[in-house]
Amino acid sequence: DTAVSQTPKYLVTQMGNDKSIKCEQNLGHDTMYWYKQDSKKFLKIMFSYNNKELIINETVPNRFSPKSPDKAHLNLHINSLELGDSAVYFCASSQEYDQPQHFGDGTRLSIL
Amino acid sequence: DQQVKQNSPSLSVQEGRISILNCDYTNSMFDYFLWYKKYPAEGPTFLISISSIKDKNEDGRFTVFLNKSAKHLSLHIVPSQPGDSAVYFCAAIIMNRDDKIIFGKGTRLHILP
């Protein structure tokens, strides 16, 4: 019974395209996050939503936009994809900011 | 099915004592393990890592121990300080295959004065 699910798991697309990655959590958590893993060690927070309100927006390009239709979903939209966007993107959720987080399996985005 | 498990959601330790955070994994293909630390309203930051060819790695107050036969690793913090209060994530990677980090759910460490 998956707690945090991301789709798709793998996404291969060309530069300039617009794509979305979906995230859903069935834990009833109030806070959801998007992270970018751009090297083996570093995980950069991109956005978090708490009760449908954007709380954190680390200075990511405005080509990236989070969309939260309801508390259980936080989707990531990316416009005009660039080569540097190739990375693994993780969705996560937690009840509060200082509580343990449940991570999704990640989406590997490859830009051709 | 969770491949990386942190069975203690929270842990309280007296300041000055040793904090021990535990992590178990199921996939014997994992060959690189990491610990991340996360403060509220911030993203996880890398803390310390260990390759599967080692059984111990030390960095200042932080030491990670790896027991491959038990598929278990632990993070020791000595001595514990108030600034160590945070959520700690254990993570694992299969190098040169996917490079995708697999995270545990995290353990919230609370250092008591």
Side-chain angles (χ1 to χ4, degrees):
Chain A
D1 202 18
T2 307
V4 179
S5 60
Q6 294 178 230
T7 53
K9 292 192 186 306
Y10 297 94
L11 182 54
V12 181
T13 190
Q14 291 185 319
M15 268 175 51
N17 285 349
D18 303 336
K19 290 294 178 186
S20 296
I21 306 172
K22 295 185 178 179
C23 179
E24 176 182 3
Q25 54 97 3
N26 62 6
L27 298 163
H29 285 165
D30 284 335
T31 309
M32 295 184 71
Y33 311 80
W34 274 104
Y35 293 93
K36 180 181 181 183
Q37 176 199 345
D38 52 15
S39 71
K40 287 186 175 57
K41 295 180 181 179
F42 296 106
L43 203 64
K44 177 182 174 182
I45 189 167
M46 301 177 73
F47 305 103
S48 74
Y49 259 76
N50 185 293
N51 289 323
K52 299 184 71 173
E53 181 183 359
L54 181 65
I55 301 297
I56 299 174
N57 185 343
E58 297 292 312
T59 52
V60 299
N62 57 15
R63 299 181 295 104
F64 292 80
S65 57
K67 298 266 192 310
S68 181
D70 54 56
K71 197 173 87 163
H73 296 84
L74 183 64
N75 303 324
L76 182 65
H77 296 266
I78 316 170
N79 294 326
S80 303
L81 281 157
E82 300 178 357
L83 287 175
D85 298 333
S86 294
V88 179
Y89 293 84
F90 284 95
C91 176
S93 74
S94 67
Q95 189 56 43
E96 298 290 345
Y97 278 121
D98 62 347
Q99 296 295 316
Q101 294 185 1
H102 293 243
F103 281 83
D105 290 337
T107 296
R108 179 174 289 281
L109 174 62
S110 300
I111 310 302
L112 304 178
Chain B
D1 186 29
Q2 265 187 278
Q3 296 188 67
V4 178
K5 300 177 186 178
Q6 293 176 258
N7 292 320
S8 300
S10 65
L11 177 68
S12 294
V13 175
Q14 207 77 35
E15 182 179 352
R17 301 281 191 126
I18 181 172
S19 295
I20 300 176
L21 297 122
N22 292 306
C23 177
D24 297 294
Y25 61 96
T26 57
N27 191 340
S28 57
M29 297 286 288
F30 288 138
D31 50 12
Y32 197 75
F33 303 90
L34 311 94
W35 282 95
Y36 290 84
K37 178 179 180 180
K38 181 187 177 304
Y39 291 117
E42 294 180 10
T45 55
F46 170 74
L47 191 59
I48 192 170
S49 64
I50 188 167
S51 165
S52 61
I53 62 173
K54 296 186 176 181
D55 53 20
K56 178 182 174 182
N57 187 25
E58 192 172 350
D59 183 4
R61 296 186 298 114
F62 302 92
T63 303
V64 56
F65 294 93
L66 176 62
N67 182 336
K68 286 190 292 294
S69 60
K71 294 193 180 70
H72 177 83
L73 65 156
S74 59
L75 175 68
H76 293 217
I77 306 173
V78 184
S80 300
Q81 298 175 354
D84 296 331
S85 293
V87 177
Y88 290 79
F89 293 96
C90 172
I93 298 177
I94 302 173
M95 301 279 276
N96 302 319
R97 193 177 89 171
D98 197 296
D99 288 355
K100 198 188 294 185
I101 302 176
I102 308 295
F103 289 95
K105 289 189 173 62
T107 296
R108 184 184 177 199
L109 176 64
H110 185 49
I111 305 301
L112 304 169

